[in-house]
């Protein structure tokens, strides 16, 4: 839809929109802020991928999934709060978000899929909710600022390399 609209700086999705398609705003390099109305219930893969100036996202509370590559390579994103309706974070959702320091995960979250936060070099803290059952491979791979991780007892599977090369990781708590 707006692929590579490099001058676009702000998006406000109004109440008439229910779906944002695959690659809708991919490569909008100057996009700084996104506000999604509560009517948005589904977002396509890589919808905001490579929006390198993106700093702020205000979500709809009806989204059930953060899709594949949604914010991949959004290099200016520092903090984000995932809506309480989200049950899964799909592959590569926040991969290479090198400025992301903090992410707030909802208590509805069940699955974090492969490479979701891979190479988020500034990620300092993340609290995995007690509802999460699955952590895919390479999820926190190369999160070099992550110091502590607590795995809740709800987690049934942690795939290979999930925390590999987290060079600052000092403490892991597994009940």
């Amino acid at each position: 839809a707006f692929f590579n609209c490099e001058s676009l700086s702000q998006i406000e999705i109004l109440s008439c929109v229910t779906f944002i398609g695959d690659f809708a705003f991919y490569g909008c390099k100057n996009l700084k802020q996104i506000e999604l109305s509560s009517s948005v219930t589904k977002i396509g893969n890589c919808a905001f991928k490579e929006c390198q100036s993106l700093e702020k996202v205000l979500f709809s509370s009806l989204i059930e999934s953060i899709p594949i590559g949604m914010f991949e390579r959004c290099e200016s994103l520092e903090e984000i709060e995932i809506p309480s309706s989200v049950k899964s974070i799909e592959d590569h959702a926040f991969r290479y978000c090198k400025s992301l320091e903090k992410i707030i995960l909802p208590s509805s979250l069940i699955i974090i899929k492969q490479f979701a936060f891979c190479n988020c070099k500034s990620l300092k803290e993340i609290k995995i909710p007690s509802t999460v059952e699955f952590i895919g491979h390479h999820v926190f791979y190369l999160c070099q600022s992550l110091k502590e991780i607590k795995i809740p007892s709800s987690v049934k599977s942690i795939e290979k390399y999930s925390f590999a090369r987290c060079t600052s990781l000092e403490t892991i708590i597994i009940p």
Side-chain angles (χ1 to χ4, degrees):
F2 301 95
F3 181 87
N4 273 344
C5 288
E6 293 186 11
S7 296
L8 187 63
S9 63
Q10 185 174 340
I11 301 169
E12 184 179 345
I13 307 288
L14 302 175
S15 59
C16 58
V17 176
T18 58
F19 175 69
I20 297 171
D22 292 349
F23 303 97
F25 297 96
Y26 182 110
C28 294
K29 296 185 185 325
N30 288 306
L31 182 62
K32 292 184 185 294
Q33 182 172 327
I34 302 165
E35 185 173 345
L36 303 176
S37 76
S38 60
S39 66
V40 176
T41 56
K42 187 166 170 47
I43 299 172
N45 295 334
C46 303
F48 302 101
K49 183 176 179 177
E50 292 190 22
C51 292
Q52 296 171 346
S53 299
L54 186 62
E55 296 172 349
K56 187 172 186 178
V57 179
L58 299 171
F59 276 107
S60 159
S61 59
L62 299 176
I63 297 169
E64 291 190 7
S65 175
I66 302 296
I68 294 170
M70 183 173 178
F71 295 109
E72 187 172 358
R73 295 189 185 274
C74 290
E75 297 175 352
S76 298
L77 194 60
E78 293 180 7
E79 184 175 330
I80 195 159
E81 183 172 354
I82 305 295
S84 60
S85 55
V86 171
K87 295 179 178 140
S88 68
I89 298 176
E90 300 297 321
D91 306 352
H92 306 262
F94 295 92
R95 189 175 188 186
Y96 295 111
C97 290
K98 67 180 184 180
S99 298
L100 188 64
E101 292 181 13
K102 182 178 181 184
I103 186 156
I104 300 169
L105 301 175
S107 59
S108 57
L109 189 64
I110 299 168
I111 297 169
I112 306 172
K113 292 196 177 172
Q114 64 190 20
F115 295 98
F117 301 101
C118 175
N119 223 324
C120 292
K121 294 179 185 269
S122 300
L123 188 63
K124 293 178 181 170
E125 62 178 283
I126 190 158
K127 183 179 180 198
I128 299 173
S130 61
T131 51
V132 171
E133 297 177 3
F134 177 81
I135 299 173
H137 68 81
H138 292 86
V139 168
F140 297 102
Y141 183 79
L142 281 169
C143 290
Q144 296 171 339
S145 298
L146 196 60
K147 292 186 184 231
E148 179 179 304
I149 195 80
K150 182 178 180 183
I151 310 292
S153 59
S154 59
V155 174
K156 295 178 173 92
S157 178
I158 301 173
E159 300 291 303
K160 65 182 179 181
Y161 305 114
S162 292
F163 298 94
R165 302 196 61 197
C166 293
T167 54
S168 296
L169 193 59
E170 296 171 354
T171 307
I172 302 169
I173 300 168
I174 303 173

